[in-house]
Structures are given as C-alpha cells and as structure tokens.
Amino acid sequence: MARILIAEFMDLPAVAQLQQAHEVLYDPQLVDQPARLLDEAARADALVVRNRTQVRGPLLQALARCKVVGRLGVGLDNIDLPGCAARGIAVLPATGANALSVAEYVVATAMLLLRGAYRASDAVAGGAWPRPALSNGREIGGKTLGLVGFGMIGQTTARLARGLGMVVVAFDAMMENDDPAFAESSVAPLGLAPLLANADVVSLHVPLTEGTRHLLDAARIAGMKPGAVLINTARGGVVDEQAVAAALRSGQLGGAALDVFEHEPLAATAHFADCPNLLLTPHIAGLTAESNERVSTLIAQRVLEALR
Ligand SMILES: NC(=O)c1ccc[n+]([C@@H]2O[C@H](COP(=O)([O-])OP(=O)(O)OC[C@H]3O[C@@H](n4cnc5c(N)ncnc54)[C@H](O)[C@@H]3O)[C@@H](O)[C@H]2O)c1
C-alpha cells in the first residue's frame, strides 16, 4: 500500500477511489501550510496537486520516495519537469479533461465582449432604457477567431467557434502548416503577425514558457486589428497586463477577458481601473462541475496505474 498526498482540492469520489487501494492524506489546505507540506512530502509515494503547489526547490527535495505527481489540470508551469525527470518522478497531467470548459469560456466571453450589451440589468431594472447606446454590438458569426496555440484547448475552441459561423485561423510554433489537425478542424494555419492583424477575436492557448512570456506585449497588441478583443485563459505571464490595460483605454483593444494573471490572486492594483469592456475571472475557465469530475477521475486512474 502506497501513501498518497493530495495538497489541493479534488473531487471526493475520486479521493475515495484512491483510498480504496492506498493510504491517502487529503487536505485541500495543505498547499498553504509549507512546513507541514514538506514534512508530509517526505513520506509520500505520490503527490496530487493543482496549479498552486510549486513542485520545485524545497518541495522537490523533500519528495524522497515519490514516484508520481498527478496534476489536476494541464498547465505544468508550477512543476520543475527536468527536476522531476532527474529524480525518476513521472508527471501526469489531466490532458484534455478540462478543454471543453475552457473552450466554452472562450466563445461565451467572445460573444459578451463583441456584443457589449449584457451589463444593462441595473440600468433597465432602474427604469433607464439605454437602447441607443447598446444597439451597435457586433455578431460573432462571420468574425475571425485567431488561436495562438493549437493544442487540445485550441482545437476544442475551434470546433465550437466554427459551429457559430466563425472563420478560424491558428498559430502554433510547434506544428507544421500541413499538420492534419488544421485541415481536420477547417482551420487555416497562419503566422503570428498576420493572425494578430486579421483576427477580430484573439484567444491564447499556449503554455507559459520562456518562449511565451509576454508573447502579447505592447508591440504585438499594437499590431492587432483595431477594436479586436483579446481572451487569455492560458497563463498570466503570456500577456503584458499593463499593455492590455493601456490598449483598452486607448481603444486599440475593443475588449478583453482575462482569467489568469501574472500574480494570482491579482493584487488590488490600479492596472485595470476604469478599463472599458473588460471581464476578469479568478482562474476558473477550466473549472466546472463536469470538468472537476473528469479531471479528478482521470488523475485518480492515472495515479493508480502508475503505482501498480
Ligand atoms: N484558465 C484555465 O483554467 C486553464 C485550464 C486549462 C489549461 N490552461 C492553460 O492552457 C494551456 C494550453 O492547454 P492545452 O491543453 O491546449 O495544451 P496543449 O499542450 O494541448 O497545447 C498547447 C499548444 O501550444 C503550442 N505552443 C507551445 N509554445 C508555443 C509558442 N511559443 N507559440 C505558439 N504555440 C506554442 C504547443 O505546440 C501546443 O500545441 C495550458 O498550458 C495551461 O497553461 C488554463
């Protein structure tokens, strides 16, 4: 029987599945108790985390007998992958299990931002009738969606967007233009600069690496189609937040939805004060009742297999 340490929240039936075969310490608050986490890590054969636990440095050193790290999600920027490999620790992400949740967030926020008409409840309930001001919203059908990163989430988003009548183009630095994934999704591959210049909606789906840090900086935002909207569900460091705020205020960006931030939780800074047509959410694009269940079930299965 192995010892499994679960340091962030996991769907309870999946925890129970692990408990049937192994000794499990499940404490969703463990991530916020560094000393106790290090102590427990020394006895763990498997560790299960979301995106807040930093599996590097002292924690990685403490994982003396750990064979596997299960990641309840897909971004791996909180895990020292070479360090894990050097220690023979397998890292298992929940590939694909939250893709639909993120894709639905993208098309929903794209529609909200383009239309710009859904924040009138207080005014309408209060007897105002701001019809002229809300009569020039844009439709999503026929607009061009530019996907930066065409992996699991990018491809799922393309499917939904095509269903809404969008034209979809994508840039992926690791994929050849003749990769069958493009044709199968009726998506045209495009370089980053022409994608930014042509897309009405730009949505980011790349991992955070040294190659993607501030990929959307002030210069690239200036190269976007004026009035386009930007959606970031990838990682905060992929966009320059100050540049996004400035572009919203100047009107270069017609709107933005940001689910992820360079520092989470977002500090109460002046970055985004008075930015028009801006939606901020607390890193929940991939979190729904359904995806939580799928992600936790998949990771429980993968950890059980790895410990067999
Ligand atoms: N906000 C959320 O709740 C949430 C949920 C899930 C995933 N995410 C983020 O979304 C990211 C994408 O997830 P995925 O499942 O689609 O991953 P994926 O690995 O399937 O796809 C990522 C794609 O990005 C491409 N890529 C890498 N570097 C690039 C670069 N410099 N330029 C262009 N393309 C590049 C890769 O080739 C790959 O095709 C994750 O890494 C994670 O950070 C966020």
Side-chain angles (χ1 to χ4, degrees), residues 74-75 98 102 149-154 171-175 205-207 211-212 233-235 259-260 283-286:
V74 292
N98 56 12
V102 179
F150 197 56
M152 195 64 85
I153 295 173
F171 165 69
D172 193 298
M174 316 295 166
M175 288 167 72
H205 301 291
V206 291
T212 61
T233 58
R235 281 292 179 268
D259 182 54
V260 285
H283 202 146
I284 48 73

Side-chain angles (χ1 to χ4, degrees), residues 113-114 138 199-201 224-230 251-255 277:
L113 294 168
L114 287 172
R138 290 175 280 176
D200 301 286
V201 178
M224 287 174 67
K225 183 171 176 175
V229 305
L230 174 66
Q252 165 61 12
L253 279 179
N277 211 18

